[in-house]
């Protein structure tokens, strides 16, 4: 999600910035699982390589490949940035693949077991899109194929994509408290709009990890990935990564009934990407750097994972997940939810007011030039 405020488009950036806090309000509030979460690693991220290509300062999706990485930008306004970028092991651009038509807001990507690259064009800060899209690039392909999809319950902003063991994509929405899980109801067809089905929701435990967006940044899902062996999946926020064990390839069951392990990702400037290393022993992340001081370049970081038994542990909190295919009402403790919702509302207003002030200030500076 682009939350910068600058130049003549300051008001649009302010609106996008407020969407971060609004995402928490839409989901009411983060709901913690029973008991403290298991912290899988507390080690700081180790730099792997630095991306020096100027087109890549808004990396929103990343996956590791056999010889490097594949990344996409977050809804770039400039034509030169609207590519699928393949990087070598040193983070240098090895090749690019253009989209045959203009994408709207590419937010994540995943790589299937057969090497197919899936790009999630699912960002919707204003929640105004009638359809979202997935781009599929076959191994060695030169032209990705576009598939359009529609939510069954109105627009959602989303920034995370998971590729299940059967090759089917799962979209995870960006809302605190209960991120929705959606997957295509039928086979994808080019030139047609395929309905999505809501198959559940995932609730992430609360943490205290430092991040630029405070508690709001700890509540919203900004990226996801599936382990190379398909036995684990990870979702990330601006603050943490949450790893779930997958049994029998059922990603939805893992997310809706499993208890995650936590990998803190403290102080990443605007962390929206996560993937597994090719051997599955580490998580790799990268942040957007568009709003950072001049000369700041995206750096891929490695977080080593502690080996754990590959068994899904059932959740024991009294709040049941929404039934698959239904948008079930929340049965969490309403007193706690309301208190957190009030805090989220305050945060949203603060972000909006600050955004408006910065946007107007930027506008006045532009007029004075």
């Amino acid at each position: 999600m682009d939350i910068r405020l600058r130049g003549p488009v300051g008001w649009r950036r302010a609106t996008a910035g407020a969407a971060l806090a609004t995402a928490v309000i839409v989901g009411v509030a983060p709901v913690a699982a029973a008991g403290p979460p298991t912290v899988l690693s507390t080690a700081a991220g180790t730099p792997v390589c630095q991306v020096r290509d100027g087109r890549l300062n808004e990396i929103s999706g990343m996956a590791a490949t056999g010889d490097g990485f594949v990344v996409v930008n977050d809804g770039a306004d400039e034509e030169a940035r609207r590519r699928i970028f393949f990087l070598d092991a040193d983070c240098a651009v090895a090749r690019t693949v253009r989209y045959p038509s203009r994408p709207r807001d590419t937010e994540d990507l995943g790589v299937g077991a057969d090497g197919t690259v899936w790009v999630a064009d699912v960002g919707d800060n204003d929640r105004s899109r009638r359809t979202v899209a997935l781009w599929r690039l076959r191994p060695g392909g030169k032209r990705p194929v576009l598939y359009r999809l529609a939510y069954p319950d109105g627009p959602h902003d989303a920034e995370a994509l998971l590729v299940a063991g059967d090759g089917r994509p799962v979209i995870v929405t960006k809302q605190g408290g209960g991120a929705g899980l959606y997957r295509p109801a039928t086979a994808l067809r080019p030139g047609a709009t395929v309905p999505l089905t809501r198959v559940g929701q995932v609730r992430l435990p609360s943490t205290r990890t430092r991040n630029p967006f405070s508690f709001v940044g700890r509540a919203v899902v900004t990226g996801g990935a599936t382990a190379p062996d398909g036995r684990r999946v990870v979702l990330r926020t601006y603050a943490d990564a949450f790893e779930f064990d997958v049994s029998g390839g059922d990603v939805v069951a893992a997310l809706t009934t499993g208890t995650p392990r936590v990998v803190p990702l403290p102080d990443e400037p605007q962390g929206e990407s996560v993937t597994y290393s090719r051997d599955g022993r580490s998580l790799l992340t990268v942040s957007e750097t568009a709003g950072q001081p001049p000369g700041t370049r995206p750096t891929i970081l490695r977080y080593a994972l502690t080996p754990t038994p590959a068994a899904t542990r059932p959740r024991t909190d009294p709040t049941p997940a929404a039934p698959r295919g239904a948008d079930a009402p929340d049965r969490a403790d309403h007193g706690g939810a309301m208190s957190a919702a009030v805090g989220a509302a305050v945060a949203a207003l603060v972000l909006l007011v600050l955004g408006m002030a910065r946007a107007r200030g930027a506008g006045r500076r532009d007029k004075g030039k």
Side-chain angles (χ1 to χ4, degrees):
M1 179 182 71
D2 190 343
I3 60 173
R4 291 172 296 150
L5 302 167
R6 67 185 185 191
V9 293
W11 177 256
R12 179 168 63 85
R13 302 302 193 195
T15 303
L20 173 61
T22 303
V24 179
I25 296 176
V26 169
V28 181
V31 178
T38 300
V39 178
L40 200 58
S41 173
T42 57
T46 302
V48 175
C49 56
Q50 193 175 80
V51 182
R52 297 184 174 276
D53 193 299
R55 295 171 293 178
L56 290 169
N57 66 344
E58 295 183 75
I59 298 176
S60 59
M62 173 178 64
T65 63
D67 54 1
F69 312 93
V70 55
V71 300
V72 291
N73 275 311
D74 176 353
D77 295 328
E78 298 177 23
E79 193 277 335
R81 302 181 186 220
R82 296 195 292 269
R83 306 278 195 279
I84 301 173
F85 292 83
F86 289 83
L87 312 181
D88 63 20
D90 296 321
C91 286
V93 175
R95 72 182 182 103
T96 66
V97 176
R98 297 189 181 197
Y99 300 100
S101 60
R102 179 169 181 168
R104 178 83 173 264
D105 192 355
T106 50
E107 290 286 359
D108 201 7
L109 62 77
V111 177
D114 63 350
T116 296
V117 175
W118 291 92
V119 178
D121 186 357
V122 296
D124 190 9
N125 290 333
D126 301 327
R127 291 177 176 80
S128 60
R129 298 181 64 170
R130 299 178 65 179
T131 64
V132 294
L134 296 175
W135 297 89
R136 183 177 68 178
L137 181 66
R138 295 289 192 183
K142 298 181 179 179
R143 183 182 176 92
V145 177
L146 176 66
Y147 300 96
R148 296 194 181 278
L149 308 103
Y151 289 105
D153 49 2
H156 295 278
D157 188 24
E159 295 190 5
L161 177 71
L162 298 171
V163 181
D166 58 4
R168 285 198 294 174
V170 177
I171 297 171
V172 185
T173 62
K174 185 180 183 181
Q175 58 203 55
L181 305 176
Y182 295 83
R183 65 185 175 196
T186 62
L188 299 176
R189 302 188 306 277
T193 298
V194 171
L196 288 163
T197 298
R198 182 181 171 96
V199 291
Q201 62 182 347
V202 57
R203 298 182 180 278
L204 301 177
S206 298
T207 74
R208 296 182 178 275
T209 306
R210 299 185 311 272
N211 72 96
F213 309 107
S214 188
F215 73 90
V216 179
R218 295 191 287 266
V220 290
V221 176
T222 63
T226 304
D229 62 5
R231 296 182 178 181
R232 291 163 293 152
V233 295
V234 63
L235 296 177
R236 74 159 298 164
T237 64
Y238 288 109
D240 303 280
F242 300 87
E243 187 181 47
F244 296 79
D245 291 321
V246 178
S247 178
D250 194 338
V251 169
V252 172
L255 295 174
T256 55
T257 66
T259 299
R261 298 174 295 273
V262 182
V263 179
L265 312 173
D267 301 324
E268 293 196 1
Q270 189 173 330
E272 298 195 4
S273 303
V274 66
T275 189
Y276 282 92
S277 59
R278 291 300 297 171
D279 60 11
R281 297 179 181 178
S282 304
L283 293 179
L284 303 171
T285 69
V286 67
S287 288
E288 293 190 14
T289 58
Q292 300 303 305
T296 304
R297 300 189 183 279
T299 300
I300 294 178
L301 300 176
R302 181 188 305 275
Y303 293 85
L305 296 175
T306 302
T308 58
T312 301
R313 293 171 290 174
R315 172 171 291 152
T316 57
D317 66 302
T319 306
R324 297 184 189 181
D327 211 349
D330 204 354
R331 295 186 180 89
D333 177 77
H334 295 290
M338 285 300 295
S339 297
V342 171
V346 172
L349 290 174
V350 169
L351 284 176
L352 182 57
V353 170
L354 288 175
M356 292 171 61
R358 293 174 64 184
R360 290 171 181 170
R364 286 194 294 268
R365 288 193 298 272
D366 290 338
K367 290 179 181 179
K369 291 183 179 178

